[in-house]
Amino acid sequence: MLRKLGTRFGAQLLPATLGLGPGLGRKVSGARGQGWLQPAGHDTGVKVYNSLTRRKDPLIVGSADATSWYSCGPTVYDHAHLGHACSYVRFDIIRRILTRVFGCNIIMVMGITDVDDKIIKRANEMNISPASLASLYEEDFKQDMAALKVLPPTVYLRVTENIPQIISFIEGIIANGHAYSTEKGNVYFDLQSRGDKYGKLVGVAPGPVAEPGDSDKRHASDFALWKAAKPQEMFWASPWGNGRPGWHIECSTISSLVFGSQLDIHSGGIDLAFPHHENEIAQCEVFHQCEQWGNYFLHSGHLHVKGKEEKMSKSLKNYITIKDFLKTFSPDVFRLFCMRSSYRSAIDYSSSSMLEAKRLLLATATFVQDARAYMKGQLACGPIREDVLWERLSHTKAAVKAALADDFDTPGAVDAIMDLIHHGNRQLQLVTKGPGGPRSPAVFGSIVSYIEQFFETVGISLADRQPLGSHLRYGGRLCRQERTSGSSEESEPLGLVEISSAVH
């Protein structure tokens, strides 16, 4: 679920996980990714960067009719911010592409962490029950996702509604010899029992970490599956005494409840690769006693505050809420902003980058309006090189499909679309006198249809969007007014000072 890494060690692993630099820690035996098993099933035609192998692998799913996808969801203790939004929007775009371009029927499960240290702490501060707080911010999160046009998962599953199943999952891990309970009522995963198999994502085994003097772990690197109850905290009865689940076991149980021992796609922010996803893999593979539980792990890069080498997060007090952002810009502008970089890369939030995304969207809407005006006979142009436009349209379709099949290269796809618009605009040259020759409305109709289809596929609407320039009707023809820079821009986005002041 959405959390920051708890140790400096974990943070230093992230560049290595994305193939951006060396990591730290003790290497596991064998080449990383060497043990990955290419699954059998339906080849989607996409090559995707798989964090398990650090390379682009053919995306082969168990079934095109039922592609399984687990997404880490929120820990619901506060408002979601743009850092969260960036990850969810990026994966929503990928989900739409897989569904509408490559024909996968995706079953997506998202877990909701509605019991957690942060929830309990915040509830005490607000003098309400943890359950009430979690319910409030779960609904808030869902409203934010709807406002961003993120498709809901097939099903949400809450941790508190699956405690018996989590307990059974822990019992299975203990029975298979990979976890142990203590006299204090805690249950830990025995990391040494995993041996060289731990580290599939990060390629390292964790080094020793400092533990409090009263720790009841056998080894410092073991992690909690069940936490003994503390005074004044919510708890559930279990074979080991009253308590509540650890963080990592929640996702393993929830995913397994729906998909069993095999998962096609697992997604989340890159900060979840270690330790969260690494521990999920360990738990699921020892519970199901399988060689490979998740076939593809997809990780999104952080949203950074421009000019600073830090991600946008609540802990760093540099964030802006989704609700505040949407007071200034539309969800379509934010979606195009996300598409202009690889989903795996870090992306800078800034006024200029948001305004550039808005400018491109408005330029697209303007072209579509002009092309429609030409089709109606309301825009007088010189002779159209119809053969050139048909060739450019065919080239664009091939380029977009190839880009999307190459690890969902949305920047490449957007560039191809904008190049098509450039060529279309060159043909729509206004003339001051009467019509300049035979008309070619069909080719512009095909271009408009394809452009709208592309943006609809990724969740962006061009309808009812104010174009860059307005038009006035003169004698049955449309002539553009002079376009002035900045005349149609919305107000500036919230700046970095305002981002910092947005912290509660």
Side-chain angles (χ1 to χ4, degrees):
M1 314 277 173
L2 295 175
R3 304 195 185 190
K4 67 181 182 67
L5 292 172
T7 66
R8 182 182 177 187
F9 170 78
Q12 289 170 315
L13 293 175
L14 302 185
T17 305
L18 283 180
L20 302 176
L24 299 177
R26 177 178 62 82
K27 293 183 179 179
V28 297
S29 63
R32 189 178 179 282
Q34 187 177 34
W36 183 73
L37 306 173
Q38 180 168 295
H42 171 72
D43 190 338
T44 62
V46 176
K47 281 200 168 183
V48 62
Y49 186 89
N50 189 359
S51 294
L52 285 168
T53 61
R54 289 191 196 170
R55 65 174 183 249
K56 293 179 184 178
D57 294 313
L59 179 58
I60 301 172
V61 298
S63 169
D65 295 326
T67 301
S68 55
W69 184 331
Y70 182 79
S71 170
C72 285
T75 299
V76 284
Y77 72 99
D78 203 347
H79 297 291
H81 58 67
L82 277 191
H84 303 141
C86 189
S87 181
Y88 285 117
V89 167
R90 282 169 151 179
F91 285 123
D92 181 71
I93 292 167
I94 290 175
R95 179 185 178 187
R96 290 171 184 263
I97 291 169
L98 277 176
T99 300
R100 302 182 185 186
V101 179
F102 297 101
C104 293
N105 181 38
I106 292 173
I107 302 171
M108 177 177 279
V109 173
M110 180 178 289
I112 300 288
T113 296
D114 56 348
V115 56
D116 177 83
D117 292 340
K118 294 178 181 178
I119 294 173
I120 294 170
K121 181 176 182 291
R122 186 77 186 277
N124 289 336
E125 292 171 352
M126 297 175 64
N127 197 28
I128 61 174
S129 70
S132 296
L133 180 84
S135 178
L136 171 69
Y137 283 114
E138 178 185 337
E139 183 59 31
D140 187 77
F141 169 79
K142 291 176 179 178
Q143 290 176 1
D144 282 344
M145 293 300 103
L148 289 167
K149 302 166 72 171
V150 173
L151 298 172
T154 311
V155 63
Y156 289 103
L157 290 176
R158 300 182 186 92
V159 170
T160 58
E161 294 176 350
N162 291 279
I163 299 297
Q165 293 85 351
I166 292 173
I167 290 172
S168 294
F169 203 93
I170 295 171
E171 289 179 316
I173 294 176
I174 294 174
N176 289 337
H178 294 278
Y180 58 92
S181 59
T182 70
E183 291 183 358
K184 294 181 179 180
N186 296 304
V187 180
Y188 297 102
F189 189 97
D190 183 358
L191 207 58
Q192 288 195 3
S193 73
R194 183 69 171 157
D196 290 340
K197 293 182 179 180
Y198 191 84
K200 286 191 173 185
L201 278 174
V202 296
V204 296
V209 294
E211 288 290 330
D214 60 349
S215 173
D216 54 351
K217 293 181 180 182
R218 289 179 184 171
H219 316 289
S221 55
D222 295 346
F223 58 88
L225 303 180
W226 186 262
K227 298 179 179 181
K230 296 178 181 178
Q232 311 304 316
E233 286 190 358
M234 58 196 305
F235 61 83
W236 289 263
S238 81
W240 318 288
N242 294 335
R244 55 186 172 89
W247 174 28
H248 312 299
I249 196 66
E250 301 166 357
C251 289
S252 292
T253 303
I254 288 172
S255 175
S256 297
L257 283 174
V258 180
F259 300 127
S261 62
Q262 199 74 66
L263 178 67
D264 290 323
I265 300 170
H266 195 311
S267 65
I270 185 56
D271 53 338
L272 297 181
F274 181 87
H276 186 47
H277 292 167
E278 192 68 67
N279 290 349
E280 279 188 70
I281 292 171
Q283 292 166 155
C284 286
E285 291 185 355
V286 301
F287 176 86
H288 296 295
Q289 296 183 299
C290 61
E291 285 297 313
Q292 183 169 289
W293 163 63
N295 291 330
Y296 301 90
F297 276 76
L298 276 57
H299 291 108
S300 60
H302 289 144
L303 180 70
H304 285 181
V305 178
K306 188 170 184 180
K308 298 184 179 180
E309 292 298 321
E310 60 186 25
K311 67 174 182 175
M312 185 177 288
S313 70
K314 291 170 185 170
S315 61
L316 296 175
K317 302 185 185 300
N318 63 357
Y319 71 95
I320 176 174
T321 66
I322 294 169
K323 288 179 175 59
D324 285 341
F325 173 82
L326 290 177
K327 293 175 184 176
T328 306
F329 281 105
S330 73
D332 288 335
V333 170
F334 185 72
R335 192 164 283 251
L336 185 57
F337 162 76
C338 291
M339 290 180 66
R340 298 192 67 221
S341 64
S342 166
Y343 73 94
R344 290 191 287 119
S345 67
I347 183 172
D348 285 340
Y349 172 86
S350 67
S351 298
S352 60
S353 58
M354 292 308 308
L355 290 173
E356 175 63 12
K358 177 175 174 57
R359 185 193 67 79
L360 288 176
L361 202 54
L362 292 179
T364 301
T366 299
F367 168 74
V368 167
Q369 186 188 63
D370 289 350
R372 281 208 169 96
Y374 171 80
M375 293 173 66
K376 295 176 182 179
Q378 297 172 341
L379 191 64
C381 300
I384 298 296
R385 287 291 308 275
E386 192 171 347
D387 58 332
V388 172
L389 290 181
W390 283 120
E391 189 279 330
R392 294 311 306 177
L393 177 58
S394 176
H395 172 80
T396 300
K397 288 181 178 181
V400 168
K401 185 73 176 286
L404 298 181
D406 183 14
D407 196 29
F408 313 105
D409 178 13
T410 55
V414 170
D415 286 347
I417 293 291
M418 300 312 296
D419 186 62
L420 176 63
I421 290 172
H422 169 72
H423 283 276
N425 274 327
R426 288 180 62 183
Q427 297 291 328
L428 289 177
Q429 296 296 321
L430 289 173
V431 295
T432 57
K433 298 181 180 179
R439 290 173 36 75
S440 305
V443 67
F444 279 102
S446 294
I447 290 173
V448 166
S449 177
Y450 176 72
I451 289 173
E452 289 185 326
Q453 179 187 354
F454 170 80
F455 282 105
E456 181 186 358
T457 294
V458 296
I460 293 174
S461 173
L462 297 179
D464 303 321
R465 190 169 299 282
Q466 181 64 39
L468 282 173
S470 58
H471 296 75
L472 297 175
R473 187 181 299 276
Y474 290 107
R477 297 206 323 267
L478 288 176
C479 298
R480 299 182 202 176
Q481 289 183 320
E482 181 75 11
R483 292 179 183 171
T484 58
S485 62
S487 60
S488 63
E489 298 292 353
E490 298 182 35
S491 59
E492 289 285 315
L494 295 175
L496 298 186
V497 173
E498 291 162 304
I499 290 176
S500 298
S501 65
V503 181
H504 299 294

